[in-house]
Amino acid sequence: MTAIPYYHRIHKETDVFEHAFRNKIPCLLKGPTGSGKSRFVEFMAHQLGKKLITISCHEETSSTDLIGRFIIKGAETVWIDGPLTTAVREGAILYMDEVAEARPDVLVAIHSLTDHRRELFIDKLGETVSAHEDFMLAASFNPGYQRGFKELKPSTRQRFIALSFGYPEPKIETEILIKETGADPDVARKLVAIGNKIRNLTELGLAETVSTRLLVDAAKLIHSGLPRRLSVHVAVVEPLTDAPTTIEALRDLADLMI
Ligand code: ADP
């Protein structure tokens, strides 16, 4: 028996996902990096007692990577199912992380799985596979409110129900830090205060701001004995920017708060 992944429910997202699963509706998790999307899916897969298959999508991810390919084995050519086909056949939850990054043929390949047909066409085999009762598609997407992130076409988006993820309110985020790392409550509160202070400094024009993940990392370093300020510098400040003046300003600010 694997351990239950720790996930702090923020609103009613667990109910929504469960109902989406029951009704065979794909689910899109929207939100910035490090906001708990992957952890949420791990938790839900565990809750529903289903296997989770994750694909981290990037610009080279093609439908072949997902569906499968022929490989040469000795004197034979054998077909190997890709992760999508495996999930469709076995009834697993397939989580496509950062789905907008994948090549367009990936989105085409999943279309027939996201509507009433629930089937996958494997052109290289000339075979159409009907999805297992329990197959569910989940995907994550980082909304394109800043440059550099790809958009998702409305025709794709509208095949999913969508849940928004953000950074939890301070009380909950503090609790997450404590539960996740064993951090001292006072340290956790201070880290969350630093996170929120930096999140509010919109004038810095950071591409992405302090995520829960960065705060968790800082809490882990402190908990394992690294000095507090150094931990915040390396886990929170440095990952955010490379601009020397911004780094300096953020370090000064953080030093005052921890
Ligand atoms: P994303 O998939 O959105 O990039 P993750 O799910 O990897 O983010 O979350 C990053 C980290 O933040 C997790 O490893 C976990 O430590 C923490 N985290 C964020 N939100 C939660 C939450 N609601 N419950 C528990 N841990 C959380």
Side-chain angles (χ1 to χ4, degrees):
M1 195 65 192
T2 50
I4 304 175
Y6 164 64
Y7 179 73
H8 191 302
R9 186 170 116 130
I10 307 295
H11 191 47
K12 293 211 181 300
E13 69 277 28
T14 47
D15 298 347
V16 171
F17 196 94
E18 197 178 323
H19 282 269
F21 174 76
R22 272 199 238 148
N23 288 286
K24 307 189 190 330
I25 306 173
C27 191
L28 184 66
L29 314 179
K30 304 191 290 180
T33 176
S35 57
K37 302 182 294 298
S38 307
R39 180 62 65 87
F40 170 66
V41 186
E42 281 167 38
F43 174 75
M44 288 311 302
H46 192 279
Q47 287 294 95
L48 296 165
K50 297 292 154 218
K51 180 173 163 187
L52 176 67
I53 299 179
T54 298
I55 302 169
S56 298
C57 300
H58 52 82
E59 55 208 13
E60 300 292 323
T61 306
S62 69
S63 57
T64 303
D65 298 325
L66 264 64
I67 294 174
R69 49 167 53 91
F70 282 107
I71 61 158
I72 313 274
K73 217 174 183 182
E76 279 177 275
T77 315
V78 287
W79 172 260
I80 304 283
D81 278 346
L84 173 64
T85 309
T86 303
V88 166
R89 288 194 210 272
E90 292 181 3
I93 296 177
L94 183 85
Y95 178 49
M96 299 179 67
D97 199 8
E98 299 290 352
V99 67
E101 297 294 320
R103 286 181 13 189
D105 60 317
V106 165
L107 299 174
V108 173
I110 61 172
H111 266 191
S112 58
L113 280 167
T114 54
D115 54 34
H116 65 281
R117 291 172 284 174
R118 282 184 46 97
E119 58 190 29
L120 175 68
F121 178 61
I122 307 179
D123 61 348
K124 288 187 183 123
L125 297 178
E127 183 187 337
T128 300
V129 184
S130 291
H132 184 288
E133 252 313 269
D134 292 343
F135 167 74
M136 179 176 179
L137 182 67
S140 79
F141 169 59
N142 200 332
Y145 48 74
Q146 63 244 334
R147 279 168 291 126
F149 284 96
K150 290 190 189 156
E151 265 303 338
L152 212 49
K153 282 198 297 189
S155 57
T156 303
R157 294 179 68 122
Q158 295 199 9
R159 289 167 176 272
F160 294 80
I161 59 157
L163 279 167
S164 274
F165 286 71
Y167 306 120
E169 58 173 87
K171 202 168 147 270
I172 295 180
E173 198 166 38
T174 305
E175 207 180 306
I176 292 174
L177 260 54
I178 297 169
K179 286 252 172 62
E180 188 75 354
T181 70
D184 174 77
D186 180 56
V187 169
R189 264 190 297 275
K190 285 180 172 153
L191 287 172
V192 169
I194 291 172
N196 280 302
K197 185 86 185 171
I198 299 176
R199 286 169 191 160
N200 287 326
L201 296 175
T202 44
E203 65 274 18
L204 290 181
L206 298 169
E208 284 241 317
T209 191
V210 186
S211 65
T212 305
R213 179 188 290 124
L214 294 186
L215 297 179
V216 166
D217 289 346
K220 280 183 185 160
L221 296 179
I222 295 172
H223 192 60
S224 79
L226 200 68
R228 292 181 181 194
R229 288 183 174 176
L230 178 59
S231 301
V232 174
H233 293 170
V234 298
V236 179
V237 176
E238 293 284 348
L240 290 181
T241 175
D242 301 316
T245 49
T246 312
I247 291 180
E248 205 185 310
L250 292 178
R251 283 173 68 144
D252 289 348
L253 179 144
D255 285 355
L256 285 174
M257 296 180 73
I258 196 143

